Amino acid sequence: MPKLKTNSGSKKRFVLTGTGKVKRRHAYKSHILTKKTKKQKRNLTHVAVITAVDTKRVKALLAM
């Protein structure tokens, strides 16, 4: 059976933690930042954890 390829888009966007959770970055932090408040931009900087509902699907994309 051939090897399964990791989804390249997911590989760039998600990181698995040691405990098996999936980390992600917030959206809306790449451009048109002049109209966003400092507080909004600061809060978008922090990493978030994928919800439990989406974890199984994202891990399948990251499976090597």
Side-chain angles (χ1 to χ4, degrees):
M1 189 168 165
K3 292 182 181 178
L4 292 174
K5 290 189 177 181
T6 302
N7 184 284
S8 295
S10 301
K11 180 169 50 177
K12 297 167 191 171
R13 287 173 173 84
F14 302 112
V15 177
L16 278 172
T17 64
T19 56
K21 295 178 184 173
V22 184
K23 292 194 300 186
R24 67 170 174 87
R25 287 182 43 157
H26 284 281
Y28 308 112
K29 185 76 196 308
S30 55
H31 59 95
I32 315 176
L33 298 173
T34 52
K35 61 175 75 171
K36 295 178 180 119
T37 62
K38 282 189 268 186
K39 181 179 181 180
Q40 187 179 4
K41 289 184 279 191
R42 183 173 64 243
N43 288 334
L44 290 173
T45 301
H46 305 302
V47 274
V49 177
I50 296 281
T51 58
V53 177
D54 297 323
T55 304
K56 184 178 178 184
R57 184 172 40 175
V58 173
K59 282 186 177 180
L61 293 170
L62 293 172
M64 290 181 237

